[in-house]
């Protein structure tokens, strides 16, 4: 009987999570991600964890422009990350990210401002 109650509880929890979240990964929005991974301030203050092609280690979680604190100026998470299934598989740890957006301002894959060598 205890096992049946646990299975029912797990099924109800999974249904609640599924109903509360987006219909698919393509529908993920920043607010959906931040329910578990937020708040934004926590992300922006993380220790550097992403190694660039030049070897520099950075925290790419930044407002754009960087001096902004407006949540609307923070890119959608899916700009850099592929959404994981909901709920995430046990032990899931995605280490991939696409930082191509950053290179529109940061020069030659070095994460230096263009003004560092262009006056």
């Amino acid at each position: 009987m205890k096992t049946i109650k646990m299975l029912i509880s797990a099924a109800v929890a999974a249904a609640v999570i599924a109903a509360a979240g987006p219909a698919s990964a393509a529908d993920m929005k920043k607010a959906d991600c931040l329910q578990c991974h937020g708040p934004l301030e926590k992300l922006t203050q993380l220790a550097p964890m992403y190694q660039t092609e030049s070897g520099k280690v950075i925290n790419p979680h930044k407002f754009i422009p960087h001096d902004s604190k407006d949540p609307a100026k923070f890119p959608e998470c899916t700009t850099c990350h592929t959404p994981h299934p909901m709920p995430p598989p046990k032990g899931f740890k995605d280490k991939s990210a696409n930082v191509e957006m950053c290179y529109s301002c940061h020069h030659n894959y070095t994460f230096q401002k263009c003004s560092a060598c262009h006056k």
Side-chain angles (χ1 to χ4, degrees):
M1 187 66 159
K2 187 175 182 179
T3 303
I4 292 172
K5 286 182 181 180
M6 287 176 46
L7 289 172
I8 291 171
S9 295
V12 168
V16 168
I17 289 170
S24 71
D27 296 330
M28 292 293 292
K29 297 290 181 213
K30 184 176 12 182
D32 298 317
C33 301
L34 293 175
Q35 288 180 16
C36 297
H37 299 285
L40 287 176
E41 294 73 25
K42 176 183 132 186
L43 292 174
T44 61
Q45 294 173 8
L46 288 172
M49 79 301 276
Y50 181 85
Q51 185 166 0
T52 67
E53 292 176 22
S54 67
K56 185 174 185 176
V57 181
I58 60 156
N59 173 2
H61 297 103
K62 303 286 182 188
F63 290 89
I64 298 174
H66 296 319
D67 59 352
S68 175
K69 297 293 181 218
D70 178 1
K73 304 280 182 166
F74 199 89
E76 285 293 328
C77 302
T78 55
T79 302
C80 303
H81 297 279
T82 302
H84 56 73
M86 288 300 290
K90 185 175 181 170
F92 179 81
K93 191 74 170 170
D94 181 20
K95 301 231 182 222
S96 64
N98 177 348
V99 295
E100 288 298 317
M101 175 185 181
C102 302
Y103 299 136
S104 63
C105 296
H106 294 279
H107 192 51
N108 288 346
Y109 299 88
T110 63
F111 274 81
Q112 298 297 319
K113 290 182 179 180
C114 293
S115 61
C117 56
H118 297 280
K119 303 297 176 198

